[in-house]
Amino acid sequence: MRQEHLRCFRKKFYQALPAILLLFLEQRPLLASNQAQTWQKYSMIGQRFERAGKRDEAELWFSKALAVAEKFGEDDPRLSQSLRALADLYMVFGQLKKAEIHYERELSILERMGGNYPDAWHVLAALTKINYARNNYAAVERYAERALALREKVKVSAKGDELAALDYQLANAYFKLNKYDRAESLIQESLKLANGK
């Protein structure tokens, strides 16, 4: 009797399988749309908590947004935005190692896509700042020089004080690395930027 029920169930299941698959395939765009809405919702909640200074809650919601963004793939800008949101949050709260991990991943994605994006400048500037705080002057030189080269290629929306800070950090790195001639011109440039000239 039991085997008869199982055989009957299997038969009905296999008969219904094409309809189930068709229903699933029809729902895929709806699922993608729901994921996009979910990502946006999580990101907005994270931003609210960040503005309120609630780091743990912001981290939770930005992490949820990142998990959803991972499903969109590395070519989707939402993944880069989610990585940046978490990295920026970690920077504000002094968690440099966590920030560095997220910035480096974002940078690798941007580089794979060509790397000539204004966003890449901001990531390079953040990595410069992190390594400057650690006195890792070789890394400061590497990231800051790439940021400066990129600034020449793409239009970067950065404030004068951000540009001045980058120049200053690179100049100090040059001093520490005994590259005095390179440092002098950068210090002069950073002073001009700081004074708004």
Side-chain angles (χ1 to χ4, degrees):
M1 180 86 164
R2 184 174 174 195
Q3 287 182 343
E4 184 64 33
H5 285 298
L6 271 170
R7 201 172 19 245
C8 185
F9 173 77
R10 282 188 199 134
K11 182 178 178 183
K12 288 181 181 181
F13 175 76
Y14 287 117
Q15 288 171 345
L17 188 58
I20 293 169
L21 288 173
L22 183 61
L23 181 64
F24 174 75
L25 292 174
E26 288 174 353
Q27 295 298 317
R28 286 185 70 193
L30 183 60
L31 293 173
S33 174
N34 286 342
Q35 286 181 338
Q37 291 172 354
T38 300
W39 174 83
Q40 186 173 16
K41 179 178 134 185
Y42 289 169
S43 296
M44 290 173 66
I45 293 170
Q47 289 168 5
R48 281 191 219 127
F49 279 119
E50 182 180 29
R51 283 191 298 272
K54 298 183 176 182
R55 184 192 60 82
D56 292 339
E57 292 87 348
E59 181 181 8
L60 171 71
W61 289 100
F62 284 147
S63 295
K64 286 183 176 192
L66 177 59
V68 173
E70 294 280 6
K71 296 173 186 170
F72 299 131
E74 289 199 344
D75 293 336
D76 192 288
R78 290 171 287 201
L79 179 58
S80 179
Q81 291 170 14
S82 294
L83 288 165
R84 172 84 60 81
L86 271 169
D88 288 347
L89 179 73
Y90 292 138
M91 277 290 278
V92 168
F93 288 96
Q95 295 178 293
L96 300 183
K97 185 61 181 169
K98 286 183 177 182
E100 182 178 34
I101 290 167
H102 287 78
Y103 283 131
E104 284 180 346
R105 180 157 180 229
E106 181 185 8
L107 184 61
S108 73
I109 290 169
L110 293 172
E111 286 175 336
R112 203 185 86 251
M113 296 168 63
N116 290 330
Y117 295 96
D119 289 350
W121 185 89
H122 294 285
V123 174
L124 288 165
L127 288 167
T128 299
K129 187 175 183 178
I130 288 169
N131 283 286
Y132 187 77
R134 294 181 176 153
N135 300 322
N136 184 351
Y137 299 114
V140 169
E141 179 183 25
R142 186 174 64 249
Y143 288 124
E145 285 181 348
R146 288 174 61 194
L148 292 174
L150 188 60
R151 183 171 75 189
E152 299 299 320
K153 288 182 186 177
V154 298
K155 187 174 182 177
V156 174
S157 61
K159 299 174 187 169
D161 59 338
E162 292 174 317
L163 299 172
L166 184 72
D167 286 347
Y168 179 78
Q169 291 163 355
L170 180 55
N172 276 324
Y174 284 150
F175 270 119
K176 297 291 184 179
L177 297 169
N178 300 320
K179 297 179 180 180
Y180 303 112
D181 53 330
R182 293 169 132 184
E184 188 177 339
S185 63
L186 264 178
I187 288 177
Q188 291 173 0
E189 185 180 332
S190 68
L191 288 172
K192 286 179 189 175
L193 286 168
N195 292 327
K197 294 180 182 177

